[in-house]
Amino acid sequence: MSSLWLILLSMVAPALPAVPVPEDSKVDLAAYVRDTPRCLATTHCFGVHLHMVVTPEGATQDVAWVREQIEQADRHFALIDTSFEIVAADAVPASELEIDDRDERDALGHDRFTRGVVHVFVVGRLADVDIAGNEIRGVHWRERADRSHRWVILSRIAGSLVLSHELGHFFGLPHSTYDISLMNKSVRLTPMVSELTFAEPEVLRMRKHRDRMLASKMLLERAVKPTPSTPSSPSAAR
């Protein structure tokens, strides 16, 4: 994996039965919904179902980390008038803390996948299935038995841009050679990591793929709730 890509990564349906949180854990799973960004009213709004590995020591990652992943995704996907919000968060048992091979990637989402939302799993360690001994930050994974079943897996060491990159794959993008692109894994001096986003041809492709997912109901659009505001009183309106 290129050094620039390592820098990029390190920076910046029916309900399923809930997995019980260990009794000695004080993880507030509701906080991942309550304290993360809501969709922007001017965009297509898609739900994210978050699956967090929880051990007796606590959650694999905290709310602030998840919030930053969503904020970055919203910033880059504004190019296709799209934003995201966590709509559910549940616990994944500690037995799935380390995902070592393709079978375990399949098993992680097999019984948890539903259409309509983006499923995002946060694990402790995500092995590179192509290079023995390597660890990766994230992957967009298609279940091999049914490639229409797909989800994102993030390692707890993922930088803030990793979810945006993997959602790029979810919205139809391959890796690219555009200098500006988040999907480009090659070594390059410019632009700065903070300037990376999606290239214009990628934006057009993602927009079409978004519309196809809406048409097929792979994703369902959520109604955006208006931001609460204090109504004006009659005297204040004078």
Side-chain angles (χ1 to χ4, degrees):
M1 186 175 289
S2 73
S3 58
L4 178 66
W5 188 241
L6 288 173
I7 292 172
L8 187 157
L9 292 178
S10 61
M11 285 186 61
V12 277
L16 296 170
V19 177
V21 178
E23 291 182 5
D24 54 352
S25 172
K26 298 180 180 179
V27 176
D28 178 10
L29 289 169
Y32 291 93
V33 179
R34 183 182 66 242
D35 299 333
T36 53
R38 300 296 89 193
C39 282
L40 305 176
T42 56
T43 64
H44 295 275
C45 176
F46 297 121
V48 172
H49 189 143
L50 182 70
H51 307 270
M52 179 70 63
V53 173
V54 176
T55 72
E57 288 70 42
T60 303
Q61 262 296 357
D62 60 21
V63 174
W65 182 89
V66 173
R67 183 188 305 118
E68 189 172 15
Q69 295 285 346
I70 296 294
E71 287 173 348
Q72 288 290 340
D74 285 349
R75 182 165 74 89
H76 296 293
F77 278 80
L79 293 170
I80 63 166
D81 308 311
T82 293
S83 60
F84 304 91
E85 61 185 28
I86 308 290
V87 297
D90 56 32
V92 175
S95 58
E96 297 181 87
L97 183 66
E98 297 190 3
I99 303 300
D100 293 322
D101 54 34
R102 292 176 176 85
D103 288 341
E104 291 182 355
R105 291 182 183 186
D106 282 344
L108 189 62
H110 177 75
D111 292 329
R112 299 180 176 100
F113 172 81
T114 54
R115 296 169 64 87
V117 297
V118 182
H119 291 270
V120 175
F121 295 83
V122 182
V123 303
R125 184 180 185 278
L126 181 58
D128 187 333
V129 297
D130 298 312
I131 304 176
N134 274 18
E135 182 177 358
I136 60 175
R137 271 68 172 170
V139 69
H140 166 244
W141 187 249
R142 291 180 180 269
E143 185 176 8
R144 290 169 297 167
D146 185 342
R147 288 180 59 81
S148 71
H149 295 181
R150 52 203 181 97
W151 43 85
V152 170
I153 309 173
L154 300 179
S155 166
R156 65 181 166 199
I157 64 172
S160 62
L161 295 176
V162 177
L163 178 60
S164 299
H165 174 90
E166 302 307 338
L167 286 174
H169 289 311
F170 196 96
F171 278 71
L173 296 184
H175 290 134
S176 80
T177 57
Y178 299 109
D179 284 344
I180 193 66
S181 179
L182 285 168
M183 309 307 291
N184 185 344
K185 295 172 65 176
S186 66
V187 177
R188 56 202 191 278
L189 297 177
T190 57
M192 297 175 60
V193 171
S194 60
E195 296 172 338
L196 295 176
T197 186
F198 296 112
E200 185 175 351
E202 293 174 323
V203 170
L204 296 175
R205 181 169 179 167
M206 287 196 300
R207 195 181 297 274
K208 291 178 181 178
H209 199 76
R210 178 203 65 200
D211 293 345
R212 285 196 294 268
M213 288 193 290
L214 279 168
S216 68
K217 295 183 169 50
M218 174 59 72
L219 288 181
L220 296 177
E221 188 147 13
R222 293 176 55 78
V224 179
K225 296 180 181 179
T227 303
S229 58
T230 303
S232 299
S233 66
S235 58
R238 291 173 187 169

